[in-house]
Amino acid sequence: MGRKRSKSATVVLPEPGTVFLMPLGDGRFGACRVLRENAGEERKRHGEPAVLVAGSAWIGTSPPDLADPRLREILHLTHHKWQNAPNANWVSVPPPDDFRAIGFVEPDEADRIYECWSSGGWSFAFQTELQWRWDHDRESVVREDAERAAEQQRQRAEAEFQRKAARAAFTLAQLRDKRRFSDWKEFVPAKAISGCRLIFRETIDVLLELGAKPPEEKVLPVLQACVERLNELDVRHEHFIETTIREELCEEFDEIAAACGLIDRKDLADEWREW
């Protein structure tokens, strides 16, 4: 049985050679094995202590004999888009509570020099079961994938419908005095925040001057000018518009476009933005 080796004051990692019995979703068990631990340059690259764990080719209804040669075989994944990749990766956290250490298989020379560039969690049980199903019941897996994709598409469509409905509920007059970007204070320059607020407010003022239900050919140049001013502001403040800020700017812009009747013009800002 492998000893536990301390990674820090509160985190322990299993010793190389430790074999874990892991429950699968269908009531059976799979097994994974710790091959080795990182050290030297490898540990520097990982930034912390870690152990290399591999899911085995064994599946059963009761714990295996530790002499079973399948425990030394690393399962290779071919399900879905996997291309014969080993079910192995570096982990830097203890195993899940339902993984039970059942013994110790002495690592051999192949284990001690095994190369792996993948890091992650203890997902070996999930991969083991899915690979077995891919090999023995692929039709069901493909059907479930299709059903899952259809449901996700339905949920995305519903969410988009709700977003459009929410946007359509606002008028330009209501949006003019909206307080925007208050949560940016910790990571965006104050002048950049005030600049964004001013651009949106002045854009709405120009749109309001066009009157009720202005034609699209009059609205689009105003919206384009709004985005181009944001482009200039981003350059002036050293490209402060990154992922989260970009998403929020686009959301605010889409609200204004929807209030102008352009509710179905998805990703309109993308036509002009440089951030």
Side-chain angles (χ1 to χ4, degrees):
M1 190 72 134
R3 302 182 307 276
K4 295 286 187 177
R5 190 167 299 177
S6 201
K7 182 176 90 161
S8 70
T10 57
V11 178
V12 292
L13 294 175
E15 182 183 5
T18 307
V19 178
F20 288 96
L21 191 69
M22 50 192 194
L24 306 182
D26 61 4
R28 295 181 299 167
F29 297 95
C32 63
R33 184 170 60 96
V34 181
L35 306 186
R36 64 187 183 87
E37 59 188 1
N38 62 2
E41 290 301 317
E42 216 168 35
R43 180 168 295 187
K44 288 182 182 179
R45 187 174 73 243
H46 294 149
E48 59 187 346
V51 289
L52 180 58
V53 182
S56 80
W58 176 87
I59 288 181
T61 56
S62 58
D65 185 330
L66 292 176
D68 190 322
R70 290 174 296 175
L71 292 179
R72 287 192 177 273
E73 296 177 23
I74 298 176
L75 178 68
H76 281 67
L77 306 175
T78 59
H79 69 82
H80 296 90
K81 295 183 179 181
W82 290 100
Q83 298 181 347
N84 208 37
N87 186 19
N89 58 253
W90 291 97
V91 296
S92 56
V93 294
D97 291 340
D98 58 356
F99 278 41
R100 179 162 61 92
I102 58 171
F104 186 84
V105 172
E106 184 67 33
D108 59 19
E109 182 61 20
D111 297 330
R112 287 189 285 270
I113 64 173
Y114 193 88
E115 289 288 337
C116 179
W117 294 89
S118 175
S119 297
W122 293 78
S123 59
F124 310 103
F126 169 79
Q127 294 288 10
T128 297
E129 181 178 3
L130 190 50
Q131 184 61 50
W132 188 92
R133 294 191 63 208
W134 188 257
D135 293 336
H136 298 89
D137 190 21
R138 188 175 306 186
E139 184 177 336
S140 295
V141 175
V142 172
R143 183 181 66 252
E144 291 168 10
D145 289 345
E147 292 171 350
R148 189 179 304 109
E151 175 60 18
Q152 290 172 345
Q153 178 60 32
R154 187 198 66 77
Q155 291 178 0
R156 285 193 294 268
E158 176 64 21
E160 181 62 21
F161 176 81
Q162 295 295 339
R163 282 194 293 271
K164 285 184 177 181
R167 290 170 186 161
F170 291 101
T171 65
L172 286 172
Q174 291 172 323
L175 292 175
R176 185 190 185 281
D177 297 321
K178 179 180 178 181
R179 186 66 172 174
R180 298 176 173 86
F181 319 128
S182 297
D183 57 346
W184 290 6
K185 294 179 181 178
E186 297 298 323
F187 51 92
V188 176
K191 289 185 178 180
I193 297 174
S194 60
C196 289
R197 288 170 174 166
L198 178 64
I199 290 169
F200 279 113
R201 188 167 61 249
E202 290 183 347
T203 296
I204 293 173
D205 285 340
V206 175
L207 291 169
L208 286 169
E209 290 174 2
L210 297 179
K213 298 183 179 180
E216 185 173 311
E217 59 267 24
K218 290 188 176 182
V219 170
L220 287 177
V222 179
L223 295 177
Q224 180 177 350
C226 172
V227 175
E228 290 175 346
R229 289 179 67 188
L230 290 171
N231 290 341
E232 295 170 1
L233 188 69
D234 185 45
V235 173
R236 193 157 62 247
H237 292 284
E238 300 181 346
H239 300 286
F240 71 96
I241 302 178
E242 297 180 351
T243 303
T244 302
I245 299 171
R246 178 175 66 249
E247 291 172 353
E248 192 166 346
L249 285 172
C250 287
E251 183 67 26
E252 295 291 338
F253 179 86
D254 288 346
E255 270 192 349
I256 295 171
C260 296
L262 304 180
I263 195 166
D264 292 318
R265 293 294 296 268
K266 187 177 181 181
D267 301 324
L268 182 58
D270 290 356
E271 297 184 16
W272 310 298
R273 68 178 179 87
E274 298 174 358
W275 27 270

